[in-house]
Amino acid sequence: MAKPRTRLMDIAQHAGVSTATVSRVINRTGPVSSDTRHRVLTAIDRLGYERPASERSGAAMLIGIITPELINPIFATYAHAIQSEVARADALPVICSQTPGATSEGDHVEKLLDQGVSGIIFLSGRHADYRGDLSRYQRLHDKGIPFVTINGARDEVPAPDFSTGDGMGIEAAVHHLRELGHTRIALLTGQTHMVPAARKVEAFRHVMKQLFGEVHPVIVETFYTYEAAATATEDLINQGVTAIVTGSDLQALGAIRTIKNRGLDVPGDISVVGFDDSMLMAHLDPPLTTVRQPVAAITNAAVQALFAQLHNSTVHRGAFIYTPDLIVRASTGACPR
């Protein structure tokens, strides 16, 4: 190893294993479970040591991970979790982020095929867009390249999809606001040509009719960005809503900025609910009530399904839905009188 003074005891203590186990991993001299090996290698990385040559040589199975832009924290969270699971499976993860106006999902697919990719994981890609061209997925299927999708099941895509229960999250948020006395509730979300946004809108309409008899609830479709949400919130304030459920944490942040710029209080005047529970949402002022996507469960299942295909096991197509959690914090409160 690069640092001759490295002590097996340091690595063992950091990994929570014995020095003998560390020695077996480094020297490849005995049986070690994949989980234990992963913990030891993680300890080596975090302590700043170079991995043994045996862990750095040899060809690895290449797995492509195609994501939208990584500015939105939830995509970065998913990408990190997926690459960790892929690396744990002794494969080489390659993250490909789409760039608006430049590198597209199709471009990434072609480059990955040129590099001999073994499998691909698509996160919130064209498979999640009702306007999207799905022909590339059929071509991958025809070529025998295994792939899975995350957050955007389409019946036409010949692969399993692993998604957050968007509708369940929206319904939980509205029920929470009703318990706080709110009735004038708006949904600020993405554009409904995208599968997750369409699910959110459908669920919001259903629950508002069920709870309040509201046939035409207030719904605003815009981009999943801070700026777009901040602009859209102006009109929602003018309509007199007392609570806003958003389709992403970034949208929630934009809504809160506009509410505060208008001299109003969150949650004293208007309550706000986010969606994702991305990093730092618990540390805002006020801490954000939000719907937490079950990222770990989804990524674990998606990677397992991909590797099952790689090992010639049968994997069922269709949508696998995972239940989100409503995380109640201080951005929601009692409806103002």
Side-chain angles (χ1 to χ4, degrees):
M1 299 177 72
K3 294 188 178 182
R5 295 183 181 178
T6 300
R7 292 193 302 167
L8 296 184
M9 187 179 298
D10 296 332
I11 300 171
Q13 184 176 8
H14 198 283
V17 299
S18 68
T19 55
T21 298
V22 175
S23 178
R24 286 198 295 272
V25 171
I26 291 175
N27 299 308
R28 289 185 176 266
T29 55
V32 178
S33 71
S34 60
D35 181 68
T36 299
R37 176 176 168 277
H38 176 76
R39 285 159 55 196
V40 171
L41 293 178
T42 299
I44 291 172
D45 294 340
R46 289 182 175 172
L47 290 171
Y49 298 115
E50 290 290 336
R51 292 189 179 190
S54 61
E55 292 293 341
R56 290 183 276 113
S57 60
M61 187 180 293
L62 186 71
I63 303 298
I65 304 166
I66 302 181
T67 77
E69 43 75 24
L70 296 176
I71 296 174
N72 189 325
I74 192 61
F75 295 144
T77 300
Y78 266 110
H80 177 76
I82 296 169
Q83 68 88 24
S84 296
E85 291 290 340
V86 170
R88 185 188 293 267
D90 291 334
L92 179 64
V94 178
I95 297 177
C96 304
S97 173
Q98 298 175 58
T99 306
T103 310
S104 68
E105 179 179 286
D107 294 333
H108 284 311
V109 168
E110 294 306 316
K111 290 176 182 177
L112 287 169
L113 290 175
D114 290 342
Q115 295 299 317
V117 69
S118 297
I120 302 176
I121 299 172
F122 293 92
L123 169 62
S124 300
R126 300 298 284 175
H127 63 91
D129 188 345
Y130 286 117
R131 301 174 184 172
D133 178 7
L134 303 181
S135 60
R136 69 175 59 96
Y137 303 108
Q138 187 60 51
R139 287 199 302 274
L140 286 173
H141 179 263
D142 294 343
K143 287 176 176 289
I145 304 295
F147 68 95
V148 297
T149 63
I150 293 177
N151 282 349
R154 298 279 303 279
D155 291 339
E156 306 94 319
V157 177
D161 178 84
F162 303 86
S163 293
T164 295
D166 297 285
M168 290 184 278
I170 294 300
E171 291 190 6
V174 174
H175 277 277
H176 166 64
L177 293 168
R178 182 201 185 200
E179 291 173 357
L180 295 172
H182 294 275
T183 58
R184 295 185 59 77
I185 304 169
L187 175 66
L188 172 60
T189 189
Q191 297 170 319
T192 51
H193 65 86
M194 301 300 294
V195 172
R199 290 170 173 169
K200 291 179 173 76
V201 167
E202 181 182 8
F204 185 72
R205 287 195 172 118
H206 172 78
V207 72
M208 290 296 288
K209 182 178 180 181
Q210 179 188 58
L211 296 183
F212 308 112
E214 186 72 57
V215 179
H216 300 291
V218 179
I219 298 173
V220 175
E221 297 179 26
T222 188
F223 298 108
Y224 280 121
T225 65
Y226 178 94
E227 295 80 9
T231 299
T233 301
E234 291 280 359
D235 185 54
L236 294 179
I237 295 173
N238 294 337
Q239 291 187 56
V241 303
T242 64
I244 302 173
V245 179
T246 64
S248 75
D249 290 340
L250 281 182
Q251 288 185 322
L253 297 184
I256 290 172
R257 186 196 75 177
T258 296
I259 293 167
K260 290 186 173 182
N261 285 349
R262 290 281 292 266
L264 301 173
D265 180 70
V266 177
D269 296 301
I270 301 178
S271 290
V272 177
V273 181
F275 201 107
D276 292 335
D277 196 29
S278 46
M279 186 181 296
L280 302 181
M281 294 303 106
H283 306 287
L284 302 178
D285 182 21
L288 185 66
T289 294
T290 186
V291 176
R292 176 180 293 166
Q293 292 205 47
V295 174
I298 288 173
T299 55
N300 179 269
V303 172
Q304 285 193 23
L306 180 68
F307 277 87
Q309 294 179 66
L310 289 167
H311 296 138
N312 298 317
S313 297
T314 301
V315 175
H316 296 289
R317 299 182 187 179
F320 298 86
I321 305 298
Y322 291 76
T323 303
D325 295 314
L326 178 67
I327 308 301
V328 177
R329 300 191 181 107
S331 69
T332 51
C335 179
R337 295 184 179 180

